[in-house]
Amino acid sequence: MSKAYLRKATACMKLEEYQTAKAALETGATLAPGELRFSKLIKECEERIAEETDELPKQMLKEVTTNSVPAKEVEPVKDAPVPMAVVAPPKPIYRHEFYQKPGEVVVTVFAKGIPRECVKVDYGEQILSLSIEAPGKDAYHFQLRLFRKIIPEKCRYDVLSTKIEIRLAKAEPIHWASLEFSREVVVPQRVNVSSVSANQRPVYPSSKPKRVDWDKIEAQVKEEKDEKLDGDAALNKFFRDIYQDADEDTRRAMQKSFVESNGTVLSTNWKEVGAKKVEGSPPDGMEVKKWEY
């Protein structure tokens, strides 16, 4: 869906992830060639990317200009060291981020179209190392000391079409303040991974506007069963209870006698009912008539 790629690109631009936004826009433009918004946003992303790449050299040039001294005021110094040019650190080829659960940390490296055989991941007690050596691309090496210890034998990774997911099993169920180790004193927060208590039932989301309280309905049904009934209601309840607790022969006798007598006889003796047809027995002052079609 082209609209999905458009929304993804808009969200990435709000997060200032212009490379990801541009890739989503290019994919969406192939699905909707006549949509002008894609070309407009692609142009905007290219401008933003160009600003990001040129921002650091411009800032360095400005600092050199403001801190410069007129040539007349500068006195020559013998054996002065030759000034070295400051080189900005290279920007990483692939962007990465992480999120965590009570028992694991998931590191996502956004490397698109990398074969699995070109990816190598090594785990240490508190070290993560990732190497990507794909044909036709620059080698990528990513290694850092983790915030806390992990269990290497329980760690794993998956190579997907657009990213690499590395799942690190925590040695302790505590909250990581960051992915990388820091010497700053951080009090780790232990995550409570205990199961839901017996008296507390889990609540699940529902698309229905009204939530049904099944416990309340069950209590109402039980209350209706226990209340005292009079007249025909009490009689019907009595017959229902007999049928519910009866064996198979008794149930067959009750069904056969009730149907064949047109609802005037209800017998529980299958030996008597099964041997012959049950004749109707109308109440006093009434007679049975055969219905003619």
Side-chain angles (χ1 to χ4, degrees), residues 71-88:
K72 295 180 180 180
E73 299 179 5
V74 177
E75 296 181 359
V77 180
K78 295 182 179 180
D79 300 331
V82 180
M84 299 293 292
V86 179
V87 180

Side-chain angles (χ1 to χ4, degrees), residues 210-226:
K210 184 179 179 182
R211 184 173 296 173
V212 180
D213 190 351
W214 295 107
D215 294 336
K216 185 177 180 181
I217 294 177
E218 183 181 358
Q220 290 177 353
V221 172
K222 187 176 181 180
E223 184 178 350
E224 291 176 359
K225 287 184 178 181
D226 295 339

Side-chain angles (χ1 to χ4, degrees), residues 24-276:
L25 290 169
E26 290 174 347
T27 306
T30 59
L31 299 176
E35 183 61 58
L36 299 178
R37 287 183 293 179
F38 286 103
S39 57
K40 181 180 178 181
L41 291 176
I42 289 174
K43 184 178 179 181
E44 183 178 348
C45 284
E46 291 175 347
E47 293 175 355
R48 297 289 186 180
I49 293 170
E51 289 177 3
E52 286 183 349
T53 53
D54 296 339
E55 185 177 2
L56 185 59
K58 287 180 180 179
Q59 186 178 0
M60 292 173 57
L61 181 61
K62 184 177 179 181
E63 291 178 357
V64 172
T65 305
T66 54
N67 296 332
S68 61
V69 182
K72 295 180 180 180
E73 299 179 5
V74 177
E75 296 181 359
V77 180
K78 295 182 179 180
D79 300 331
V82 180
M84 299 293 292
V86 179
V87 180
K91 189 176 181 180
I93 303 176
Y94 305 115
R95 182 174 59 88
H96 72 275
E97 61 184 30
F98 83 101
Y99 66 91
Q100 59 184 304
K101 300 178 182 179
E104 69 175 359
V105 175
V106 182
V107 182
T108 304
V109 180
F110 294 94
K112 185 177 180 181
I114 303 297
R116 186 178 181 87
E117 58 270 14
C118 299
V119 178
K120 182 180 180 182
V121 182
D122 293 324
Y123 312 101
E125 189 177 18
Q126 201 171 345
I127 297 293
L128 171 64
S129 177
L130 169 66
S131 298
I132 302 176
E133 296 182 359
K137 298 183 179 181
D138 295 337
Y140 174 77
H141 300 285
F142 172 69
Q143 182 173 333
L144 52 82
R145 183 181 178 187
L146 299 172
F147 183 78
R148 289 286 174 176
K149 294 182 179 181
I150 60 175
I151 306 174
E153 56 270 16
K154 292 185 178 181
C155 299
R156 59 185 178 87
Y157 71 95
D158 297 315
V159 180
L160 307 177
S161 59
T162 57
K163 59 186 178 181
I164 301 172
E165 281 191 354
I166 305 172
R167 299 183 176 272
L168 307 174
K170 293 181 179 179
E172 298 177 291
I174 61 175
H175 179 79
W176 288 19
S178 63
L179 180 62
E180 194 170 358
F181 174 79
S182 175
R183 294 188 180 278
E184 297 179 2
V185 179
V186 178
V187 179
Q189 300 177 0
R190 183 170 293 273
V191 181
N192 185 11
V193 294
S194 60
S195 59
V196 181
S197 58
N199 57 353
Q200 180 183 1
R201 296 191 176 186
V203 180
Y204 300 98
S206 175
S207 58
K208 297 182 180 179
K210 184 179 179 182
R211 184 173 296 173
V212 180
D213 190 351
W214 295 107
D215 294 336
K216 185 177 180 181
I217 294 177
E218 183 181 358
Q220 290 177 353
V221 172
K222 187 176 181 180
E223 184 178 350
E224 291 176 359
K225 287 184 178 181
D226 295 339
E227 72 174 329
K228 295 181 179 180
L229 303 175
D230 297 327
D232 293 339
L235 185 62
N236 289 333
K237 183 178 183 302
F238 173 72
F239 289 142
R240 283 200 304 269
D241 293 342
I242 293 177
Y243 186 85
Q244 183 178 359
D245 300 332
D247 56 11
E248 189 63 28
D249 287 342
T250 303
R251 291 185 178 184
R252 290 166 62 189
M254 294 177 69
Q255 292 176 356
K256 186 174 184 297
S257 61
F258 188 82
V259 172
E260 292 182 351
S261 66
N262 296 319
T264 59
V265 176
L266 186 63
S267 175
T268 58
N269 189 351
W270 174 248
K271 292 183 179 180
E272 179 183 345
V273 173
K276 60 181 180 178

